[in-house]
Amino acid sequence: KDVIPPLEQLMVEKEGYLQKAKIADGGKKLRKNWSTSWIVLSSRKIEFYKESKQQALANMKTGHKPESVDLCGAHIEWAKEKSSRKNVFQITTVSGNEFLLQSDIDFIILDWFHAIKNAIDRLPKD
Ligand code: I3P
């Protein structure tokens, strides 16, 4: 029954820590709650880990799954008006999940914005 994902899906394009707040789930607004997240971008998805990378790897061995975001058909845009913080962008998925990502460090957030935008632009829209 196990589906083996194609290799390209397993390839990590970028990973690192950002501030994350999920603000909608399936179109339903959530109370904003910023937290540090270890973020792993591959060609079709982003995974958010609540823990440090080490902790996340340990948890993965016990079958613990990170929150996964399907980038197919997703949108990314700067979201100045959504936060009092600087350097915030929003990812909106087809399923109506909305995430804000933020870093105080300009080049870090710019790198992430472009990496995610490139991944989305390479994918089919549906
Ligand atoms: C929220 C918290 C968030 C803040 C948000 C507040 O309060 O302070 O950090 O977002 O502002 O509502 P609470 O913890 O009581 O839910 P930013 O840091 O992004 O500004 P908002 O309601 O204007 O989004």
Side-chain angles (χ1 to χ4, degrees):
K1 278 276 168 58
D2 284 357
V3 178
I4 301 164
L7 243 182
E8 53 120 19
Q9 276 190 34
L10 297 170
M11 304 251 293
V12 170
E13 299 194 356
K14 187 171 176 61
E15 55 188 334
Y17 288 106
L18 288 179
Q19 297 300 307
K20 184 201 87 167
K22 187 175 185 179
I23 57 166
D25 187 282
K28 188 175 176 289
K29 292 288 172 202
L30 299 174
R31 180 169 175 183
K32 191 197 277 168
N33 183 18
W34 287 103
S35 62
T36 303
S37 188
W38 178 258
I39 300 182
V40 179
L41 171 67
S42 50
S43 57
R44 300 183 71 94
K45 65 175 194 274
I46 298 174
E47 289 174 330
F48 295 124
Y49 296 86
K50 285 196 190 76
E51 320 84 349
S52 70
K53 189 184 187 187
Q54 287 73 17
Q55 192 58 50
L57 288 170
N59 284 346
M60 270 160 67
K61 289 180 190 141
T62 63
H64 216 264
K65 285 281 190 325
E67 177 160 36
S68 183
V69 175
D70 180 8
L71 291 178
C72 266
H75 286 97
I76 183 170
E77 62 192 349
W78 292 104
K80 243 186 194 336
E81 72 293 346
K82 297 268 178 93
S83 175
S84 60
R85 300 177 175 213
K86 66 185 273 200
N87 296 343
V88 177
F89 65 77
Q90 176 171 333
I91 299 168
T92 306
T93 67
V94 167
S95 58
N97 294 344
E98 297 174 10
F99 301 89
L100 300 180
L101 295 175
Q102 189 266 344
S103 168
D104 285 337
I105 302 165
D106 296 0
F107 79 86
I108 288 180
I109 202 71
L110 276 172
D111 280 359
W112 272 103
F113 183 89
H114 290 118
I116 296 170
K117 189 174 185 340
N118 286 341
I120 290 172
D121 289 347
R122 282 196 306 264
L123 288 167
K125 298 287 167 260
D126 43 26

